């Protein structure tokens, strides 16, 4: 039986590869701490955004033009999409130019 060379000294490269991930772990830990300590502010902001989107969708649904063309205002859920587009600055859908 011939002796195979031992390559245990090459395991140091594996250790270097593991150690290179340390900055990413530190960055993710910092990101977690930011979200954890600001969770109340983020929850309030999320609630305000959801309230504005739902409120504007309901208003758009009930104050839609009286003509027979719906232009996406068929239901409150359909109007929710238009509300998100309008509140994010994307504009309305292409076929709702005469709102």
């Amino acid at each position: 039986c011939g002796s195979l060379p031992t390559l245990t000294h090459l395991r140091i490269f594996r250790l270097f590869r593991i150690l290179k991930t340390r900055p990413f772990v530190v960055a993710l830990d910092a990101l977690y701490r930011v979200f954890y300590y600001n969770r109340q502010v983020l929850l309030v902001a999320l609630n305000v955004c959801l309230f504005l989107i739902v409120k504007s969708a309901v208003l758009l649904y009930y104050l839609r033009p009286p003509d027979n063309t719906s232009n996406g205002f068929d239901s409150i859920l359909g109007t929710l999409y238009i509300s998100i587009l309008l509140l994010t600055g994307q504009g309305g859908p292409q076929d709702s130019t005469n709102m």
Side-chain angles (χ1 to χ4, degrees):
C1 227
S3 67
L4 293 174
T6 59
L7 300 175
T8 56
H9 60 281
L10 291 178
R11 289 186 182 198
I12 192 77
F13 293 122
R14 185 185 301 171
L15 181 65
F16 285 148
R17 188 176 67 220
I18 291 172
L19 291 178
K20 283 184 182 179
T21 61
R22 178 101 175 116
F24 298 112
V25 172
V26 171
L28 287 176
D29 185 46
L31 190 64
Y32 171 74
R33 280 185 280 131
V34 166
F35 280 118
Y36 180 75
Y37 288 122
N38 293 321
R39 67 184 182 273
Q40 292 175 341
V41 175
L42 292 172
L43 285 175
V44 168
L46 179 68
N47 285 333
V48 167
C49 288
L50 289 176
F51 174 76
L52 284 175
I53 289 172
V54 171
K55 183 72 170 179
S56 63
V58 169
L59 285 174
L60 280 173
Y61 177 73
Y62 285 114
L63 299 176
R64 66 179 180 240
D67 58 352
N68 291 335
T69 59
S70 64
N71 290 336
F73 297 104
D74 296 331
S75 65
I76 293 178
L77 290 177
T79 313
L80 195 65
Y81 173 70
I82 297 172
S83 174
I84 291 171
L85 287 178
L86 291 172
L87 288 176
T88 56
Q90 300 296 318
Q94 297 299 327
D95 60 349
S96 67
T97 56
N98 55 359
M99 282 197 285

